[in-house]
Amino acid sequence: MRKSTFLLPIVVVLVALGLSSLFIVDEREKALVLQFGRVIDVKEEPGLAFKIPLIQEVVRYDDRILSREVGPLEVTPLDDRRLVVDAFARYRITDVRQFRQAVGAGGIATAETRLDSILRAKTREILGSVSSNDILSSDRAALMLRIRNGAIFEARDLGLEVIDVRLKRTDLPEANLNATFARMRAEREREAADEVARGNEAAQRIRAQADRTVVELVSEARREAEIVRGEADAQRNGIFAEAFGKDPEFFEFYRSLSAYEKALQGGNSSMVMSPDSEFFNYLKSPSGRSE
């Protein structure tokens, strides 16, 4: 009874120590075995591993590709047109020993803070060496590659590998938006005014051409009408002359009747003439008196 009383706690302690000496390395992570803060072993292969209980501890790090958002960053390109840039990076821990030595117990949080500083510095350096038009054009893919290549070299000291860097958003600062919109609006209004002026000029030119064409057509029509009328009058006079030449007395009588018709129209008009005027020759009786 006394032996079992002493053996049972010892067995429990031994089992506990045995279990605490075992740990499992997942395929998605890497592990460091530390002894009093110093790296003793690196476990990169998945499976069962051992450590000394109570003396050694295990620190695990993610072996997958991680993402890091870089907050809004204000850059000044060569043309002094300030831009606000948002970016993100993808990275992974390649050397856990160096990573531990570089960031200490801070782990991923400390590493990402230092990675932010690297990305911000490289972004300002690369984007500050080109114009804003280059940043906003299709050349930004080459710029992102330059930022990544520059960050790769400095991130090696942290045991990190920068896989990709992307610019998500490239905008003007809020303080410059209103001025930019006002300038764009003024440019569009100027272009619209130029278009309206050119349209009015073209309309005036077309209207003047149309007025000129109207005048030319009316003048030509009147000229042709006068020619036709003159030819008709000449033809009429020729017919009258030919007809009246055959009987001059009848011509004289016809002319007098036409004059009577025009002179003796109805109304309140009066005409005072001498009774023996030749105008009344064809209104006189055979005795010579006017009837």
Side-chain angles (χ1 to χ4, degrees), residues 75 119-130 146 154:
V75 298
L119 292 174
R120 286 174 175 271
K122 288 301 175 182
T123 300
R124 283 197 176 96
E125 176 185 348
I126 300 301
L127 299 187
S129 64
V130 297
R146 290 174 57 188
E154 295 189 18

Side-chain angles (χ1 to χ4, degrees), residues 3-252:
K3 290 183 178 180
S4 60
T5 302
F6 288 104
L7 289 177
L8 184 59
I10 294 174
V11 171
V12 171
V13 172
L14 292 176
V15 170
L17 291 175
L19 291 177
S20 64
S21 66
L22 299 176
F23 64 95
I24 298 174
V25 180
D26 191 273
E27 64 271 9
R28 296 168 296 180
E29 63 185 14
K30 297 178 182 180
L32 288 179
V33 179
L34 304 180
Q35 182 173 322
F36 304 116
R38 186 167 56 90
V39 178
I40 300 300
D41 195 7
V42 177
K43 303 294 183 180
E44 297 184 351
E45 297 297 326
L48 192 63
F50 298 92
K51 67 180 181 67
I52 301 175
L54 303 178
I55 298 177
Q56 296 179 343
E57 61 176 332
V58 177
V59 179
R60 305 171 189 270
Y61 296 108
D62 204 325
D63 194 33
R64 295 173 294 182
I65 295 176
L66 305 175
S67 297
R68 178 60 180 174
E69 297 280 343
V70 180
L73 173 65
E74 188 171 304
V75 298
T76 305
L78 289 178
D79 52 6
D80 292 331
R81 185 182 180 185
R82 295 188 301 167
L83 297 174
V84 176
V85 176
D86 282 346
F88 77 92
R90 293 189 299 166
Y91 71 97
R92 67 183 302 176
I93 301 172
T94 55
D95 190 338
V96 289
R97 185 186 294 271
Q98 186 173 2
F99 180 81
R100 178 69 183 188
Q101 293 174 351
V103 302
I108 295 294
T110 302
E112 289 185 341
T113 300
R114 295 179 62 178
L115 182 61
D116 281 353
S117 301
I118 294 173
L119 292 174
R120 286 174 175 271
K122 288 301 175 182
T123 300
R124 283 197 176 96
E125 176 185 348
I126 300 301
L127 299 187
S129 64
V130 297
S131 66
S132 58
N133 290 333
D134 294 331
I135 299 174
L136 300 175
S137 68
S138 58
D139 294 339
R140 62 188 297 168
L143 297 176
M144 290 186 291
L145 183 61
R146 290 174 57 188
I147 295 172
R148 190 205 72 169
N149 293 338
I152 285 176
F153 179 77
E154 295 189 18
R156 288 174 183 169
D157 294 337
L158 300 177
L160 302 177
E161 177 189 5
V162 178
I163 298 173
D164 193 16
V165 175
R166 294 287 172 179
L167 299 178
K168 294 179 7 182
R169 179 175 65 96
T170 306
D171 291 332
L172 293 171
E174 189 67 29
N176 296 351
L177 283 177
N178 293 333
T180 301
F181 290 153
R183 184 173 65 254
M184 294 173 63
R185 189 180 300 110
E187 291 177 356
R188 297 300 177 270
E189 290 175 352
R190 179 182 57 79
E191 293 176 359
D194 291 341
E195 291 294 332
V196 171
R198 284 194 290 268
N200 291 335
E201 181 182 357
Q204 186 176 1
R205 185 168 57 252
I206 294 172
R207 193 178 296 112
Q209 183 65 31
D211 293 341
R212 178 181 176 183
T213 302
V214 169
V215 172
E216 291 177 351
L217 291 176
V218 171
S219 299
E220 183 66 19
R222 287 179 178 174
R223 185 181 68 81
E224 293 179 358
E226 293 296 331
I227 292 175
V228 172
R229 188 179 294 109
E231 292 176 350
D233 289 343
Q235 187 175 3
R236 184 196 64 175
N237 293 336
I239 294 173
F240 280 152
E242 183 180 357
F244 295 147
K246 294 179 179 180
D247 192 349
E249 185 178 355
F250 177 77
F251 173 71
E252 193 68 28

